[in-house]
Amino acid sequence: MKKQFKNIIPIIIVIIIGLIILATFLLSDKDLDINSSKITELYSYLGETDIYHCGGLNTYKNEAITLDNIKNEDALCMAYYQVKNSKEETKKATNTNVNDNKTCKIGKSTTLLADEKTQKCTYKTFTKKDLNDAYNNLYNQDIKNYEKMFYISEEEACYLEGETYYCGTSETYTYYLSPNATIYRAITKAKEQLNGDIVIYDYFLRVSEDNKCYKTNDQDNENTDCTKALAKTKKVTKELLLDNGTMYKHIFHKTPSGYAWIKSEQK
């Protein structure tokens, strides 16, 4: 009997080791394809390098960033580009402003600038509910403050009348006095966590016109090691970005309708 038990022990050990390996595999984060459409879509939630597009990249800062740290008009702007039920309309210009520009009166009190060639205004309309649905998909929250007006580009803005937003070329433009710089980013990995959340890791680097590197998108915190390396390579390569850039992780929470961005921070 003892001899039979001794023969079983190695088998039991192998089974236990196998179960441990299986449990480790099942309970570990799952690697995702960084080139997949899902990761590409979620990455777009972070914004664009164009500072006129919803304030540019708002998440690459020293401190951890959540929706509470982003300007309301920029968050609404991001939601605008996710609205699914917008309608595009065209109206012929009927008025002229003080600058002799042709304009259109939209709704009861909204004035939009007409195209110089066509003398027509092309604009989009959608409801507050439409914008809130898009906002909720992006951030897993409802809109707390519907701005009466917010920019969606350097020349375009959305205006609220009652329950409807009218978005088109504004009579006034928004300008940013910001030094020119080039942004470099590269996703290195994406993982699905046990709770279903997705985390995207990337490297960030901001390079000024005079070839100085900076760690974030909001402060002049020079990355001197990168600046020295750039002086040797004369150009930003992927290797330089991965060796000298700042690593960030972006968390997207699993919701009943998909995934919502909830936080970005330095790794």
Side-chain angles (χ1 to χ4, degrees), residues 169-219:
T169 304
S170 173
E171 286 191 280
T172 57
Y173 301 150
T174 179
Y175 295 98
Y176 292 87
L177 295 177
S178 177
N180 292 328
T182 303
I183 303 296
Y184 298 90
R185 294 188 297 163
I187 300 177
T188 55
K189 59 184 176 180
K191 292 183 175 290
E192 182 178 348
Q193 299 182 318
L194 291 177
N195 62 357
D197 290 356
I198 288 179
V199 181
I200 297 176
Y201 297 84
D202 70 346
Y203 278 90
F204 172 92
L205 190 63
R206 177 167 61 96
V207 180
S208 63
E209 284 187 314
D210 55 352
N211 289 326
K212 289 185 178 181
C213 301
Y214 297 93
K215 299 178 181 180
T216 67
N217 201 29
D218 66 323
Q219 296 179 0

Side-chain angles (χ1 to χ4, degrees), residues 28-263:
S28 62
D29 293 343
K30 177 183 175 183
D31 289 327
L32 300 175
D33 180 5
I34 62 175
N35 297 311
S36 67
S37 57
K38 178 190 291 185
I39 298 304
T40 300
E41 179 184 2
L42 295 181
Y43 201 55
S44 71
Y45 290 0
L46 303 177
E48 297 182 10
T49 57
D50 182 359
I51 60 174
Y52 299 113
H53 181 94
C54 307
L57 296 170
N58 297 303
T59 60
Y60 295 86
K61 299 183 179 181
N62 273 325
E63 70 275 14
I65 301 298
T66 65
L67 185 57
D68 293 334
N69 305 111
I70 295 179
K71 291 181 180 179
N72 189 53
E73 55 264 38
D74 290 338
L76 294 180
C77 174
M78 290 295 292
Y80 161 83
Y81 287 98
Q82 301 294 327
V83 171
K84 297 178 180 179
N85 297 322
S86 64
K87 297 179 181 178
E88 186 170 288
E89 301 181 39
T90 301
K91 188 173 183 179
K92 187 175 181 179
T94 55
N95 302 306
T96 303
N97 63 16
V98 294
N99 296 316
D100 290 329
N101 296 316
K102 295 293 183 180
T103 62
C104 309
K105 185 176 181 181
I106 309 298
K108 293 183 179 180
S109 59
T110 299
T111 300
L112 297 177
L113 202 62
D115 181 86
E116 291 183 2
K117 294 181 179 179
T118 65
Q119 300 293 289
K120 293 180 180 179
C121 296
T122 300
Y123 59 96
K124 290 184 178 180
T125 65
F126 51 84
T127 66
K128 288 169 63 176
K129 181 182 181 305
D130 293 329
L131 186 64
N132 187 68
D133 288 344
Y135 189 96
N136 198 291
N137 286 336
L138 277 175
Y139 305 117
N140 199 33
Q141 295 184 33
D142 289 332
I143 297 173
K144 297 176 182 178
N145 178 25
Y146 289 90
E147 300 283 349
K148 291 291 184 181
M149 186 274 280
F150 62 89
Y151 284 99
I152 54 176
S153 71
E154 181 182 3
E155 300 178 349
E156 299 172 295
C158 292
Y159 300 87
L160 179 62
E161 283 191 22
E163 296 295 311
T164 303
Y165 272 102
Y166 299 93
C167 304
T169 304
S170 173
E171 286 191 280
T172 57
Y173 301 150
T174 179
Y175 295 98
Y176 292 87
L177 295 177
S178 177
N180 292 328
T182 303
I183 303 296
Y184 298 90
R185 294 188 297 163
I187 300 177
T188 55
K189 59 184 176 180
K191 292 183 175 290
E192 182 178 348
Q193 299 182 318
L194 291 177
N195 62 357
D197 290 356
I198 288 179
V199 181
I200 297 176
Y201 297 84
D202 70 346
Y203 278 90
F204 172 92
L205 190 63
R206 177 167 61 96
V207 180
S208 63
E209 284 187 314
D210 55 352
N211 289 326
K212 289 185 178 181
C213 301
Y214 297 93
K215 299 178 181 180
T216 67
N217 201 29
D218 66 323
Q219 296 179 0
D220 288 337
N221 44 1
E222 185 180 355
N223 183 338
T224 54
D225 290 338
C226 172
T227 300
K228 292 177 182 177
L230 182 57
K232 295 179 180 179
T233 62
K234 304 300 181 183
K235 64 178 181 178
V236 177
T237 62
K238 187 172 182 179
E239 182 180 2
L240 185 141
L241 172 60
L242 298 182
D243 288 343
N244 297 278
T246 304
M247 185 181 226
Y248 283 83
K249 70 174 184 177
H250 313 278
I251 304 172
F252 300 85
H253 179 62
K254 186 174 178 58
T255 69
S257 59
Y259 292 89
W261 172 83
I262 58 171
K263 187 179 183 181

